[in-house]
Amino acid sequence: MEVMEQFNLQDFILRLSIQLPGFILAVSCHEAAHAFVALKFGDDTAKRQGRLTLNPTAHYTPFGTILFPLLGALMGGTMFGWARPVPIDARRFKNIRKSIFWVSFAGPMANIALSVISAFFYVLIVTKVSPTFYFYEPFLGMLKASITINCILAVFNLIPFPPLDGSKMVGSFLNYEAQRKFEEIQKYGFIFLLLLWFTNIFSYLLFPAIMMANGFIRLFYVMLS
């Protein structure tokens, strides 16, 4: 029994060390991207509040960035979670609808970009580095985790359900009355998250994320082989 408990603890620590770098970078870049694009469209609210940074301490939230991801790792799966939303003042935008769309899309786009970069280095190591290299397996594990985590975050955040980024992108095309009614379902956001997490629905949503991750890897295999 003691041996089994020790093995489980070691397995958890290994999983955590492999996935944590990719997860922290994913959520930090996601929020920093929102802040960066908002600044480009004229709103410096996030910058003034110190959110235009990759420092994870500026973005973390105890439940979404610490407890929930740890729960995923404890259950033997991929770390999943979220950071504190970046504050946006739409009144500072010249073109509100266009700005909201691109500011909202910036987060998932940052995750897609990180997934592409991780896939490139993953295939680069597989095809160009000897397996005898001491850090060969750890690097591949961290890069594969980064690919998967970023694809999952990108796909998840594109779901058009408030307060996810996808809902804001959809909302930018709605008139005021329709947008107000659409945002009313945000009060069910936490229930929606739990429903996804503890049912097979989330597995179906992961399918396009996994397909995306594998597609990036195959693409670079063709380019680098």
Side-chain angles (χ1 to χ4, degrees), residues 175-190:
N175 59 44
Y176 175 77
E177 186 62 25
Q179 185 176 6
R180 187 181 62 81
K181 291 181 179 180
F182 184 54
E183 290 177 348
E184 286 180 357
I185 63 175
Q186 182 170 336
K187 58 186 176 183
Y188 303 109
F190 186 71

Side-chain angles (χ1 to χ4, degrees), residues 13-108:
I13 293 175
L14 176 61
R15 189 180 306 112
L16 199 63
S17 63
I18 290 296
Q19 296 189 23
L20 191 59
F23 173 75
I24 293 298
L25 186 61
V27 294
S28 298
C29 286
H30 183 101
E31 298 304 330
H34 284 313
F36 176 77
V37 176
L39 181 63
K40 292 299 180 181
F41 279 101
D43 178 23
D44 65 345
T45 305
K47 180 182 179 181
R48 286 187 286 106
Q49 295 189 18
R51 303 297 302 280
L52 185 56
T53 177
L54 295 180
N55 185 348
T57 61
H59 304 295
Y60 88 98
T61 178
F63 185 75
T65 318
I66 300 177
L67 295 179
F68 204 80
L70 285 178
L71 178 62
L74 280 169
M75 294 173 63
T78 300
M79 295 184 73
F80 174 79
W82 58 91
R84 187 160 47 95
V86 164
I88 301 296
D89 186 353
R91 294 172 301 179
R92 294 176 175 270
F93 295 143
K94 294 181 179 178
N95 187 327
I96 294 180
R97 292 182 180 275
K98 176 181 177 182
S99 300
I100 289 178
F101 177 89
W102 287 109
V103 170
S104 301
F105 187 46

Side-chain angles (χ1 to χ4, degrees), residues 133-161:
F133 176 54
Y134 185 74
F135 293 109
Y136 184 83
E137 290 296 335
F139 279 169
L140 286 185
M142 285 189 283
L143 288 168
K144 186 63 180 292
S146 178
I147 298 167
T148 304
I149 290 170
N150 277 286
C151 283
I152 291 174
L153 285 177
V155 171
F156 178 77
N157 277 284
L158 288 173
I159 297 174
F161 193 99

